Amino acid sequence: MSVQVFGTNKSFDCKAAQRFFKERRIPFQFVDLKEKEMSRGEFDSVVTAIARAEGGRTAAIEAMTDKNAKEYASIAYLDDDDKESKLFENQLKLLKLPVCRNGKTEATVGMQQKIWENWA
């Protein structure tokens, strides 16, 4: 399987995730969200994988959202479908980073080294 790390080059956590995979010789592809955001299919597969782990789509969207982002206030009051749409439309500003995806069935948001260790 192929690991993808979605994030930015300026994010400390994204750099730490890349270092984690490099040190363990786990092949990965880094995707800079400033240059290319996730496609709808990639985003949906991440949401589905996280929903499986978190206990539902609503919990997945909450887990994926960076509540410290300035833009969070503009979506906090929205219903689940609208919140998910805004998260997709504003990935760079609203996603908790890094987003790591292992194939189409496993994904994490934020630093999740214990989970990543099983991806080798």
Side-chain angles (χ1 to χ4, degrees), residues 42-106:
E42 290 169 328
F43 182 82
D44 286 342
S45 74
V46 168
V47 172
T48 301
I50 294 173
R52 223 176 285 119
E54 294 288 330
R57 206 160 178 93
T58 299
I61 295 301
E62 286 300 313
M64 292 174 66
T65 305
D66 181 359
K67 292 168 185 64
N68 294 323
K70 288 186 278 185
E71 291 78 5
Y72 178 70
S74 68
I75 69 162
Y77 65 91
L78 297 175
D79 66 29
D80 293 341
D81 290 337
D82 289 340
K83 199 177 278 188
E84 183 175 337
S85 293
K86 290 293 184 186
L87 189 61
F88 175 72
E89 293 167 9
N90 299 291
Q91 295 174 32
L92 187 60
K93 295 178 180 179
L94 289 169
L95 277 177
K96 187 184 295 182
L97 300 177
V99 175
C100 298
R101 186 169 83 138
N102 186 18
K104 293 185 178 185
T105 59
E106 296 179 290

